[in-house]
Amino acid sequence: MIKQFLNDPSLLLNAVGEGIYGFDLSGNAVFVNPAAERMTGWSAETLLGKKIHQYHHHTHADGTPYPADECQIYCTMFDGKRREVKNEVFWRKDGSSFPVEYTSTPVYRNNELIGAVAVFRDISQQQQTQNALQDALAQVKHLSEQLQDENNYLIAELNEDWQDSGLVGKSHVFQTMLEQIKLVSETDTTVLILGENGTGKELVARNLYRLSKRNKQPFIKVNCAAFTPSLLESELFGHEKGAFTGANERRKGRFELADKGTLFLDEIAELPLEAQSKLLRVLQEQEFERVGASNTLKVDIRVIAATNRDLWEMVQKGSFRIDLYYRLNVFPIKVPALRERKEDIPYLCSNLIVQLNKRLTKQLKGLSNKAISQLQAYDWPGNIRELQNVLEREAILSKQAVLQLSQPLQAISQSTINPALTLNEMQKQHIITVLKLSAWQISGSKGAAAKLGMPESTLRSKMHKLGISKIS
């Protein structure tokens, strides 16, 4: 049997799955195996003694001519060098083509070049698999970019102090607010949340979202006071690459990210008039354009807005559009100040201490009766946020499981509130105080951003806006 193969090596060549052509120095076919016949449709009888290049290699994949003197198989016949070729096509008898990879190897007899052998294979399936993989990778990249866009906005939100604190309280005014939340949460109605700083307006917005039919879709928050007017439009509506200096890539805005979900516009009163008009259009038409783009994007969003200011007074002064006011004020919810619900303080303290135990790795059991009485006797100009700060300060200082107040609340109040200061000056003073308590650490569970109840990016923006640096 071995002798039979040695006497007739064509038996082996005919058995292989790759196509094989043998050429003389003129480029004429001297051997064509069955696999080559099957792949190309050209029979050996037709090709033997012919220049195969004219049959299966005459043009490139795009149809442009493929001169014989550029053919890598022919080049091997001239210079005697072996070649491996990819990304070419062979043409079938029926006029169709298929992608190939092939090797062109010189053939010598007595050290004299007498021809070449081309071994090729059809890589159509491999190419389809590769294209499918590239498409899948492109889709993964698109989804990754989309998730990254959303993460840029959402990851800080997931760790905020209020995230797990919950709405707690038994007072009549608080229960009335809860009933309003339950009623409107079942609809897509625009909600305007009103209340003083620190009352928990964002917490109300998050609970509206959780109770809504959109609770499986994104919840996107925008702090309208955290961006300059020039950047706010880009943050809201996104921008195209090159739309302005620094726009190095296309970016989705928060309206686009909130599609099918809920958009929370905090501090809505800080919107400049130009952005107010564009917001009105989105609320009315559910469509907008990215900065630097001409095509219109459609969105399906539920808008929740919040402010601590009197919007109607702003309307009368001309700093807030009346049509936008009416569009937002469809269902207003008033969040009561802490001084209006002092009977809820024990419940709030219990809830906040649970959060402090997690964040500060403490094992606090609660407050003494005396401490609770002191808390209920105070008017809380900073509302729940001030209560949170007081409890955190006492938790840090306390060496006991039951908290006591280490100093009178009035002393705390006088040290942090000065009627002669402007709102920005008061904010600056408070932020610096918290930064110092945090050893000027901004991020992390023990950082100032967490203590102030705001995302790290918002705190850095406010520090820049208020001119706060470590030397302050």
Side-chain angles (χ1 to χ4, degrees), residues 46-77:
T46 301
L47 295 179
L48 288 173
K50 307 287 180 60
K51 295 185 183 299
I52 293 182
H53 184 83
Q54 298 174 0
Y55 290 83
H56 78 103
H57 217 191
H58 48 80
T59 54
H60 293 287
D62 60 2
T64 57
Y66 196 150
D69 59 357
E70 295 178 6
C71 175
Q72 297 301 299
I73 300 172
Y74 278 30
C75 289
T76 295
M77 299 176 210

Side-chain angles (χ1 to χ4, degrees), residues 386-418:
E386 186 182 0
L387 173 62
Q388 184 183 35
N389 291 341
V390 168
L391 292 180
E392 181 166 353
R393 180 179 181 281
E394 297 299 337
I396 293 171
L397 295 174
S398 178
K399 297 181 180 179
Q400 306 297 324
V402 177
L403 292 182
Q404 306 283 346
L405 297 188
S406 61
Q407 59 179 290
L409 289 170
Q410 190 62 32
I412 299 173
S413 173
Q414 288 175 350
S415 67
T416 56
I417 298 177
N418 183 347

Side-chain angles (χ1 to χ4, degrees), residues 16-300:
V16 299
E18 285 83 3
I20 301 176
Y21 287 140
F23 303 90
D24 62 20
L25 290 180
S26 298
N28 298 317
V30 296
F31 178 80
V32 178
N33 77 336
E37 291 180 302
R38 288 193 300 270
M39 280 188 269
T40 66
W42 296 103
S43 67
E45 182 181 357
T46 301
L47 295 179
L48 288 173
K50 307 287 180 60
K51 295 185 183 299
I52 293 182
H53 184 83
Q54 298 174 0
Y55 290 83
H56 78 103
H57 217 191
H58 48 80
T59 54
H60 293 287
D62 60 2
T64 57
Y66 196 150
D69 59 357
E70 295 178 6
C71 175
Q72 297 301 299
I73 300 172
Y74 278 30
C75 289
T76 295
M77 299 176 210
F78 298 141
D79 61 19
K81 294 181 180 178
R82 184 179 184 277
R83 289 173 169 81
E84 293 184 4
V85 181
K86 299 181 180 181
N87 301 321
E88 286 197 5
V89 299
F90 281 0
W91 293 88
R92 299 186 182 97
K93 186 176 180 179
D94 63 9
S96 62
S97 65
F98 61 99
V100 294
E101 290 180 351
Y102 65 86
T103 59
S104 177
T105 306
V107 178
Y108 290 90
R109 178 187 293 162
N110 299 325
N111 293 323
E112 181 182 351
L113 181 64
I114 62 171
V117 172
V119 180
F120 65 92
R121 61 190 183 97
D122 183 347
I123 60 169
S124 299
Q125 189 62 45
Q126 176 183 332
Q127 199 168 78
Q128 289 173 5
T129 302
Q130 186 176 1
N131 290 339
L133 178 60
Q134 289 175 344
D135 290 342
L137 290 174
Q139 180 67 11
V140 169
K141 182 180 179 182
H142 171 73
L143 292 173
S144 296
E145 289 174 350
Q146 183 176 354
L147 287 172
Q148 184 61 46
D149 285 338
E150 293 180 3
N151 283 341
N152 288 338
Y153 297 127
L154 294 176
I155 197 165
E157 307 290 336
L158 296 176
N159 296 314
E160 290 201 7
D161 291 340
W162 297 114
Q163 181 67 20
D164 298 315
S165 64
L167 291 169
V168 293
K170 300 292 184 181
S171 64
H172 175 73
V173 65
F174 181 75
Q175 290 297 316
T176 299
M177 183 193 73
L178 289 185
E179 287 300 318
Q180 290 181 305
I181 292 173
K182 292 175 184 177
L183 284 172
V184 77
S185 65
E186 299 174 0
T187 74
D188 278 340
T189 300
T190 300
V191 177
L192 179 62
I193 304 172
L194 306 167
E196 298 176 8
N197 278 331
T199 51
K201 297 186 291 296
E202 181 177 340
L203 184 57
V204 171
R206 290 186 182 279
N207 277 272
L208 280 168
Y209 161 71
R210 291 192 190 103
L211 295 172
S212 75
K213 60 186 179 183
R214 296 175 181 257
N215 60 7
K216 302 298 183 185
Q217 303 300 325
F219 177 88
I220 304 295
K221 175 189 171 184
V222 183
N223 187 332
C224 299
F227 303 100
T228 63
S230 59
L231 288 178
L232 182 61
E233 187 176 347
S234 171
E235 287 293 328
L236 291 176
F237 306 114
H239 62 253
E240 294 292 334
K241 182 177 180 180
F244 51 83
T245 302
N248 298 322
E249 58 184 4
R250 189 182 73 175
R251 184 181 184 188
K252 293 180 181 180
R254 305 202 188 185
F255 274 96
E256 196 171 348
L257 291 171
D259 190 27
K260 304 294 188 300
T262 302
L263 182 69
F264 175 45
L265 298 173
D266 198 11
E267 299 191 55
I268 187 72
E270 306 305 319
L271 274 181
L273 285 170
E274 183 179 356
Q276 289 178 30
S277 64
K278 294 191 176 183
L279 171 60
L280 180 64
R281 180 193 170 195
V282 180
L283 293 177
Q284 291 176 334
E285 308 295 337
Q286 296 277 291
E287 62 182 31
F288 65 95
E289 290 87 31
R290 293 195 191 105
V291 177
S294 56
N295 58 309
T296 299
L297 301 174
K298 299 285 289 185
V299 288
D300 173 19

Side-chain angles (χ1 to χ4, degrees), residues 3-21:
K3 185 176 179 181
Q4 183 180 355
F5 282 128
L6 292 174
N7 291 335
D8 188 4
S10 64
L11 291 175
L12 295 172
L13 298 177
N14 288 335
V16 299
E18 285 83 3
I20 301 176
Y21 287 140

